[in-house]
Amino acid sequence: WVGFTGNHSRMAGRRVAVLRWHLAGSNTDGDARGIGHSTVRTARPGDSVLVHCEAWYTDDHGKRVAADLFANNEVVVTIGSTEGLLMPALGQSCLGLQAGQTKAFTLTSQDKGHPQPRRDKNLAVEMESGDADVTVGATVRIRYQGIARPATVLSHDPGKQVVTVDMNDPLAGRVLQIQARLNRFDMAPAVVAVHIDEPNAADVPARRFTLAELRQHTGANEQEIYVSLCGFVYDVSSSSHMYGPGGMYHFIAGHDGSVALGRFKIDPALCDKPWGDLEQSERASLAHYVRTFLGKYPLVGKLAQSL
C-alpha cells in the first residue's frame, strides 16, 4: 500500500487498523484465538493448586491468635475435593482466582473440615495456683488426673490463689478466619513436602504393641484408651469424652488412626492402614493431629510393626 494517496490511503489505514485488531483480539471464553492472544488462567474444579493459607481466631480476651494448621502456611489443594483439613471450603475459596489473588472466608465449628469442632466445657477447671506468677492467656503445662497436659490460663485470682485453666485444644469450637492466596497452578501432590513431627527418641517408652495388644485398650471396663498415630502410641484417656465409648472418635480407640484422621473420615475401615500413600492435603491434616497429640497426650510406646 505504499504510495497510495487520498481515499486509497485512508482505506489502507482502516485495513491496517482492522488487521491490528484481529492480531490483538481477545475472547471471553478462555480459548486462545488469533495471533498474539493471551489468556489469564483462573482456578477451576479439578485444578491442583499451591495455596498460602493463614488462619486465626479471636480468643476470649479479644486477642487474635494464629492457628498453626500447615507447615509454612502452605498446602496443595485439589479444587472440588471434599477431604482434608479445611476442605471443601478451602478449595471452594480458590475457585475463579488467578495466581496471586487472595480470598478470605470464615469456618465455623459446624462446617466440614474444621480441625477441632467440639469443645468440652468439663475440661475448663479450677486449680490451686499457690504463689506462682500466672499470666492470663498463657499456655502452661499442668498435671491433671495424674497426666501432664498443656492448658490455657483463662483467669487467675491471686487473693484466693486459684487459677482457671482450659485443657481443650486451643482451636476447639473456635470460629476460624482464613485468608487463602493462590500461589501456583499445576501442583503435583508431592511438590510441597509435609513434615510430620516425631517425638524425641529419648521420650518414647520402650514398650512395643502388636495390633492385637493395642486393641485391648479401648476404654471398655474403665481401661486406658490408647491411640496410635504414625506408629507412636498415645494414652488419650484424659479425653474419654472423645475417644471413649460413645465418643465421636471412639472408632480409633485401640487402633492406629493415621489414615482416618488424615482423610478426616469417621470410618472404622480406615483404621490400622498404611499412611505413607496419603495425599499432600491429607498428610497436612495428619500432621496437625500429630502436633496436637504430641503436646496433649503422654506417649506409652510404639507399634511393634510398621503399617
Side-chain angles (χ1 to χ4, degrees):
W1 291 332
V2 176
F4 282 93
T5 59
N7 290 336
H8 290 289
S9 67
R10 286 193 295 273
M11 290 177 63
R14 286 196 294 272
R15 288 170 182 163
V16 170
V18 171
L19 179 60
R20 286 174 178 164
W21 186 89
H22 279 292
L23 287 174
S26 63
N27 59 84
T28 59
D29 61 6
D31 297 329
R33 296 177 184 170
I35 301 173
H37 172 75
S38 63
T39 60
V40 177
R41 183 172 180 180
T42 58
R44 298 179 177 181
D47 284 342
S48 289
V49 295
L50 176 64
V51 179
H52 181 87
C53 179
E54 295 187 24
W56 66 92
Y57 65 92
T58 302
D59 68 11
D60 298 332
H61 304 283
K63 180 182 177 181
R64 171 171 162 164
V65 181
D68 181 20
L69 297 179
F70 305 108
N72 300 319
N73 288 334
E74 288 192 331
V75 61
V76 172
V77 172
T78 300
I79 298 177
S81 172
T82 61
E83 306 304 327
L85 203 60
L86 307 185
M87 296 295 282
L90 181 56
Q92 292 169 347
S93 73
C94 295
L95 273 175
L97 293 186
Q98 302 170 14
Q101 289 186 327
T102 299
K103 187 170 183 179
F105 65 97
T106 299
L107 197 76
T108 72
S109 59
Q110 286 75 43
D111 293 324
K112 190 177 188 301
H114 192 288
Q116 293 288 338
R118 294 187 179 182
R119 182 178 183 277
D120 184 359
K121 294 181 179 179
N122 294 323
L123 291 180
V125 298
E126 288 188 349
M127 306 183 70
E128 293 183 0
S129 62
D131 56 0
D133 184 13
V134 178
T135 301
V136 173
T139 300
V140 296
R141 183 165 290 274
I142 65 172
R143 181 162 292 277
Y144 182 71
Q145 296 180 344
I147 298 174
R149 302 186 55 171
T152 302
V153 178
L154 299 182
S155 64
H156 180 219
D157 187 333
K160 295 181 179 179
Q161 295 188 336
V162 171
V163 63
T164 302
V165 296
D166 185 358
M167 293 176 285
N168 282 284
D169 185 285
L171 301 183
R174 297 287 187 182
V175 175
L176 301 180
Q177 304 298 327
I178 299 162
Q179 186 166 285
R181 183 181 71 236
L182 196 159
N183 278 356
R184 288 173 58 189
F185 287 95
D186 300 326
M187 299 296 295
V191 169
V192 178
V194 175
H195 174 71
I196 297 179
D197 294 337
E198 290 190 359
N200 295 324
D203 295 333
V204 181
R207 186 175 180 183
R208 297 297 179 262
F209 294 83
T210 66
L211 289 176
E213 290 171 335
L214 184 61
R215 290 179 190 131
Q216 315 257 332
H217 301 276
T218 63
N221 301 319
E222 300 184 354
Q223 288 181 327
E224 302 93 343
I225 308 171
Y226 292 170
V227 170
S228 169
L229 280 189
C230 301
F232 293 95
V233 181
Y234 301 83
D235 184 343
V236 300
S237 304
S238 59
S239 293
S240 58
H241 63 291
M242 295 175 61
Y243 299 100
M248 180 179 180
Y249 296 107
H250 179 58
F251 73 101
I252 63 173
H255 295 279
D256 186 279
S258 303
V259 174
L261 294 181
R263 292 184 177 170
F264 227 68
K265 284 187 174 181
I266 299 177
D267 184 355
L270 297 178
C271 292
D272 304 328
K273 299 295 184 183
W275 55 274
D277 293 331
L278 289 175
E279 295 182 0
Q280 198 266 359
S281 61
E282 296 168 342
R283 288 177 62 88
S285 176
L286 175 58
H288 169 75
Y289 277 103
V290 168
R291 288 194 296 272
T292 297
F293 272 50
L294 281 171
K296 191 172 184 178
Y297 304 117
L299 277 161
V300 291
K302 291 181 64 175
L303 291 183
Q305 66 229 67
S306 299
L307 295 177

